[in-house]
């Protein structure tokens, strides 16, 4: 096992990793920018090294500074956390070239999953369902019609070079294909100079459901159930829950088994998350995240495992200590991401924290680096805390979450706590009846 | 260490204190005389401390020259990167600078090794080396004061 680990991150996730290390008897080295000299992860670590100025590109995103710090501090391994260098394949390779263990997957797997087209093909070949579409560009309107008929309506005709919604046409029936095809081509030509278009199934109101996996170097793979992360605004998740209110036991087992088989085929090691869109009982692969995720605690709460501990163990070469059949899911868990933002305008609000009081009690967990007198620096992500609660069932979980939100005091900053409190009283949310568009409509006040 | 700057730590004293620390099982010893003092603290104590001052990496015990020794850092040259500092280009050659030297703008003062690359630290202005705050081979953080140039 490792004796000393460098944590190449900041904020709550640096503390999260530090806690796992400490419980395993592993010493920690915090690295930080000058803006984070007073940060809690720096204060709690056995050693700390300032690696650069506030700008992330010169500190937390600077592989050379981090590897030099690791060399000076004589660590055995580096944990990248999430964000920053966590999905940088070159960094993972550099870490290993310097004879440190990278607490994560291999550089090759990070690289594969980082290439969205190659990743889709790789997981499709390994048996994971993907969004059905035309294989490549469409030659003419007849080919578009044939592909649409094969997939089933509605379909989306998209520019191959596309992005930002331009060159995209939704087609709901056979009559619309020819016109939409022509329009999409014209739009694509205008926006991207190439008029190549392709076609795929259009999902109107899917949910975002992701499956957590854990694999060791010996080829043992388990899944730890799913998380529902449909509550998003501008692709930023706000609240996550496990299990998903939309899945039944058969669907859970079926997708879990498919993911486990695929991950085995791919020879993947460490924790990872396979993200899907879920609509009308079907799963469609979006991407795979080759790292620990922000919302990992909801999985920990329902299966009683410490994912960071498991990550460290498998990175040190240890085999998983349990089989799929030994993993038991218990109760329900929800995580609220608390950002230093105005709850109505989402304007970031860094600054000095006044009185700070975190909620507690049975089934309540707060992952945060906040303390009274701490100044939230303006240079980084606005997420300042995660409030995670667990209950015997979803209803108990919601009651507990309302109680915990009402206890939470973070003076001096605008936070998203009031938004979460509003959410707790929305019938759609209480009933678990929401898709990936729901939150945006809710904050825009256009939900009907 | 090849050279001994003026404000270097009395290694023998620190070793003696560190030994005492182990023998007595104390977590910290502070020892002072004639306007200076040295605090030696064991690692177990380091764990509990939430002193915002950056901890230094190193051996089992650490010698921390107390800040009350009063170094005016207004004219300090600070490290532009995390790395290991070298006072000369190789062990055989004399140090680039010593206390009292007059240096020109652009003159190399020290080297900092990061990722097996030696980065020269040059004077941004002409001046006199008043104090050297590091020793050859010491690890330094980003922003750590290296020397005083006035």
């Amino acid at each position: 096992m490792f004796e000393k680990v460098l944590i190449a991150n900041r904020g709550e996730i640096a503390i999260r990793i530090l806690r796992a290390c400490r419980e395993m008897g592993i010493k920690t080295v915090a690295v930080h920018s000058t803006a984070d000299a007073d940060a809690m992860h720096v204060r709690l670590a056995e050693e700390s090294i300032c690696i650069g100025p506030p700008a992330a590109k010169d500190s937390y995103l600077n592989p050379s500074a981090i590897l030099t710090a690791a060399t000076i501090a004589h660590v055995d391994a580096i944990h990248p956390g999430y964000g920053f260098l966590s999905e940088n394949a070159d960094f993972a390779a550099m870490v290993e070239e310097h004879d440190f263990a990278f607490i994560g997957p291999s550089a090759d797997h990070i690289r594969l999953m980082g290439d969205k087209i190659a990743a889709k093909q790789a997981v499709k070949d390994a048996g994971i369902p993907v969004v059905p579409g035309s294989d490549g560009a469409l030659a003419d309107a007849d080919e578009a019609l044939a592909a649409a008929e094969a997939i089933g309506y509605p379909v989306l005709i998209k520019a191959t070079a596309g992005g930002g919604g331009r060159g995209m046409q939704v087609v709901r029936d056979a009559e619309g294909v020819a016109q939409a095809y022509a329009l999409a081509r014209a739009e694509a030509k205008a926006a991207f100079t190439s008029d190549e278009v392709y076609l795929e199934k259009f999902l109107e109101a899917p949910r975002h459901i992701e499956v957590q996996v854990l694999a060791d170097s010996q080829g043992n793979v388990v899944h730890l159930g799913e998380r529902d992360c449909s509550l998003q605004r501008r692709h930023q998740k706000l609240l996550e829950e496990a299990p998903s209110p939309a899945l039944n036991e058969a669907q859970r087992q079926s997708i879990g088994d498919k993911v486990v088989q695929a991950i085995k085929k791919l020879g993947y090691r460490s924790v990872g998350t396979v993200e899907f869109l879920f609509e009308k009982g079907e799963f469609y692969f979006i991407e795979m995240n080759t790292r620990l995720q922000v919302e990992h605690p909801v999985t920990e709460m329902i299966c009683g495992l410490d994912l960071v501990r498991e990550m460290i163990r498998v990175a040190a070469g240890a085999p998983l200590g349990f089989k799929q059949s030994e993993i038991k899911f218990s109760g329900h868990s929800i995580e609220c991401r608390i950002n230093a933002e105005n709850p109505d305008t989402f304007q970031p609000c860094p600054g000095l924290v006044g009185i700070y009081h975190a909620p507690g009690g049975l089934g309540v967990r707060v992952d945060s680096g906040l303390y009274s007198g701490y100044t939230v620096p303006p240079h980084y992500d606005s997420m300042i805390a995660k409030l995670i609660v667990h209950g015997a069932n979803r209803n108990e979980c919601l009651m507990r979450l309302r109680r915990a939100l009402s206890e939470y005091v973070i003076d001096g900053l605008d936070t998203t706590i009031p938004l979460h409190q509003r959410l707790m009283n929305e019938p759609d949310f209480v009933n678990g009846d929401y898709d990936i568009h729901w939150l945006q409509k809710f904050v825009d006040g256009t939900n009907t | 260490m090849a050279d001994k700057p003026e404000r270097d730590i009395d290694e023998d004293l620190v070793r003696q204190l560190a030994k005492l620390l182990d023998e007595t099982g104390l977590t910290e010893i502070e020892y002072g005389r004639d306007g200076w003092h040295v605090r030696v603290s064991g690692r177990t104590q380091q764990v509990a401390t939430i002193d915002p001052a950056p901890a230094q990496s190193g051996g089992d015990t650490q010698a921390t020259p107390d800040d009350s020794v009063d170094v005016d850092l207004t004219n300090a040259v600070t490290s532009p990167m995390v790395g290991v500092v070298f006072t000369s280009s190789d062990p055989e050659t004399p140090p680039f600078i010593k206390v009292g030297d007059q240096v020109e703008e652009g003159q190399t003062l020290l080297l900092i090794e990061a990722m097996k690359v030696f980065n020269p630290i040059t004077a941004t202005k002409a001046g006199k080396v008043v104090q050297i705050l590091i020793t050859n081979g010491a690890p330094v953080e980003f922003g750590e004061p290296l020397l005083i140039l006035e």
Side-chain angles (χ1 to χ4, degrees):
Chain A
M1 189 45 65
F2 307 129
E3 286 186 13
K4 205 193 239 187
V5 165
L6 182 141
I7 302 166
N9 216 298
R10 63 178 301 282
E12 68 84 20
I13 197 62
I15 295 169
R16 168 70 192 85
I17 296 162
L18 182 144
R19 285 174 171 155
C21 288
R22 191 152 292 167
E23 290 179 11
M24 297 173 83
I26 298 170
K27 294 191 183 76
T28 53
V29 179
V31 293
H32 64 92
S33 72
T34 49
D36 277 338
D38 292 336
M40 191 52 91
H41 75 280
V42 176
R43 297 171 71 167
L44 289 175
E46 271 88 353
E47 293 174 34
S48 66
I49 299 174
C50 180
I51 53 165
K57 69 173 173 51
D58 299 320
S59 48
Y60 300 105
L61 284 171
N62 183 344
S64 155
I66 290 165
L67 288 168
T68 303
T71 307
I72 289 173
H74 303 292
V75 303
D76 305 305
I78 297 179
H79 197 307
Y82 54 66
F84 294 129
L85 294 168
S86 62
E87 288 178 289
N88 183 319
D90 293 338
F91 177 67
M94 282 167 86
V95 167
E96 306 223 307
E97 278 159 23
H98 283 76
D99 286 330
F100 304 116
F102 182 74
I103 303 176
S106 72
D108 287 345
H109 283 117
I110 298 174
R111 195 168 284 122
L112 171 68
M113 292 303 164
D115 176 339
K116 297 308 160 201
I117 295 166
K120 187 175 169 184
Q121 194 57 49
V123 301
K124 190 181 170 193
D125 294 346
I128 286 182
V130 299
V131 179
S134 61
D135 290 322
L138 298 163
D140 52 40
D142 287 343
E143 204 179 304
L145 183 62
E149 296 286 333
I151 292 161
Y153 299 96
V155 296
L156 192 64
I157 301 181
K158 285 165 101 169
T160 317
R166 286 177 302 176
M168 269 168 46
Q169 291 290 323
V170 178
V171 188
R172 301 194 179 276
D173 49 44
E175 284 82 73
V177 172
Q179 195 194 354
Y181 174 77
L183 264 175
R185 281 186 64 136
E187 273 187 35
K189 180 87 181 166
F192 314 109
T193 67
S194 158
D195 63 357
E196 257 189 19
V197 294
Y198 70 105
L199 180 151
E200 67 179 31
K201 182 158 187 67
F202 177 60
L203 303 173
E204 305 218 41
R207 298 178 78 110
H208 174 120
I209 293 179
E210 56 189 33
V211 177
Q212 176 71 56
V213 291
L214 169 62
D216 63 20
S217 312
Q218 289 78 19
N220 302 303
V221 184
V222 294
H223 76 83
L224 303 175
E226 83 285 2
R227 295 184 286 261
D228 197 317
C229 313
S230 303
L231 289 177
Q232 305 184 3
R233 184 186 155 271
R234 297 190 179 165
H235 300 286
Q236 294 295 309
K237 295 166 184 169
L238 180 80
L239 175 150
E240 303 94 348
E241 59 184 313
S244 168
L247 286 200
N248 61 39
E249 195 48 43
Q251 289 167 324
R252 177 168 300 118
Q253 272 192 19
S254 158
I255 194 64
D257 289 347
K258 277 182 190 150
V259 167
V260 165
Q261 291 313 317
I263 294 301
K264 268 188 190 159
K265 272 189 197 145
L266 291 165
Y268 185 84
R269 172 201 74 206
S270 193
V271 298
T273 301
V274 185
E275 296 190 332
F276 294 97
L277 291 174
F278 176 76
E279 189 173 86
K280 298 184 181 116
E282 298 291 330
F283 288 91
Y284 306 96
F285 174 78
I286 313 170
E287 62 177 5
M288 177 169 182
N289 292 321
T290 53
R291 55 170 165 84
L292 186 66
Q293 286 197 275
V294 175
E295 60 272 25
H296 77 276
V298 293
T299 298
E300 295 183 322
M301 300 301 268
I302 62 161
C303 63
L305 281 171
D306 180 336
L307 284 183
V308 179
R309 179 191 180 92
E310 297 303 325
M311 259 186 116
I312 295 171
R313 286 185 72 256
V314 299
L320 291 185
F322 40 80
K323 298 191 198 65
Q324 187 70 52
S325 57
E326 293 170 81
I327 292 164
K328 298 279 176 263
F329 300 111
S330 154
H332 197 94
S333 181
I334 299 180
E335 170 183 280
C336 292
R337 296 192 188 194
I338 294 166
N339 296 345
E341 284 172 5
N342 181 289
D344 300 315
T345 64
F346 300 97
Q347 188 74 31
C349 182
L352 179 66
V353 178
I355 291 170
Y356 178 76
H357 175 80
L362 181 66
V364 176
R365 163 177 173 182
V366 175
D367 281 18
S368 173
L370 288 184
Y371 58 90
S372 293
Y374 172 67
T375 299
V376 177
H379 314 283
Y380 312 106
D381 194 89
S382 64
M383 196 183 73
I384 49 172
K386 301 189 310 205
L387 170 61
I388 307 115
V389 301
H390 182 258
N393 51 52
R394 193 167 185 269
N395 188 48
E396 186 180 297
C397 188
L398 286 175
M399 293 301 282
R400 184 161 287 154
L401 191 49
R402 288 189 191 100
R403 186 270 287 174
L405 282 165
S406 73
E407 286 178 20
Y408 211 155
V409 178
I410 306 174
D411 268 355
L413 305 176
D414 283 345
T415 76
T416 46
I417 291 174
L419 174 64
H420 285 291
Q421 285 177 310
R422 275 174 60 206
L423 201 53
M424 292 306 124
N425 295 319
E426 276 299 306
D428 285 350
F429 175 69
V430 171
N431 295 328
D433 184 15
Y434 54 83
D435 59 46
I436 58 166
H437 307 300
W438 188 91
L439 181 66
Q440 187 65 55
K441 289 186 223 153
F442 173 66
V443 299
D444 293 345
T446 55
N447 263 359
T448 46
Chain B
M1 308 281 157
D3 58 337
K4 280 229 163 195
E6 270 186 6
R7 211 184 120 271
D8 203 352
I9 295 156
D10 184 341
E11 277 192 30
D12 287 340
L13 173 66
V14 176
R15 274 178 215 289
Q16 231 177 319
L17 291 175
K19 204 172 154 216
L20 264 175
L21 202 65
D22 284 340
E23 284 174 7
T24 56
L26 291 171
T27 53
E28 191 176 351
I29 298 180
E30 197 161 343
Y31 179 76
R33 204 167 58 190
D34 303 333
W36 58 269
H37 54 242
V38 170
R39 191 174 71 232
V40 177
S41 58
R43 188 172 264 181
T44 42
Q45 201 268 338
Q46 188 84 28
V47 177
T49 185
I50 48 165
D51 187 332
Q56 294 154 357
S57 56
D60 283 327
T61 51
Q62 298 184 357
T64 316
D66 201 291
D67 283 344
S68 61
V69 180
D70 272 345
V71 181
D72 179 8
L73 295 175
T74 353
N75 292 308
V77 175
T78 57
S79 176
M81 67 190 77
V82 59
V84 176
V85 65
F86 290 95
T87 52
S88 62
S89 52
D90 63 78
E92 272 79 58
T93 52
F96 294 111
I97 47 156
K98 56 186 190 301
V99 172
D101 281 2
Q102 190 68 35
V103 297
E104 301 297 319
E105 184 182 329
Q107 186 178 332
T108 298
L109 307 171
L110 302 160
L111 298 177
I112 293 187
E113 186 210 338
M115 304 288 287
K116 300 184 173 67
V117 176
F118 290 86
N119 304 279
I121 307 304
T122 55
T124 52
K125 56 168 189 185
K128 188 177 156 199
V129 179
V130 177
Q131 214 173 41
I132 298 175
L133 304 168
I134 45 77
T135 54
N136 192 42
V140 289
E141 299 182 282
F142 173 84
E144 189 168 328
L146 302 170
L147 54 96
I148 312 285
L149 192 61
E150 277 173 3

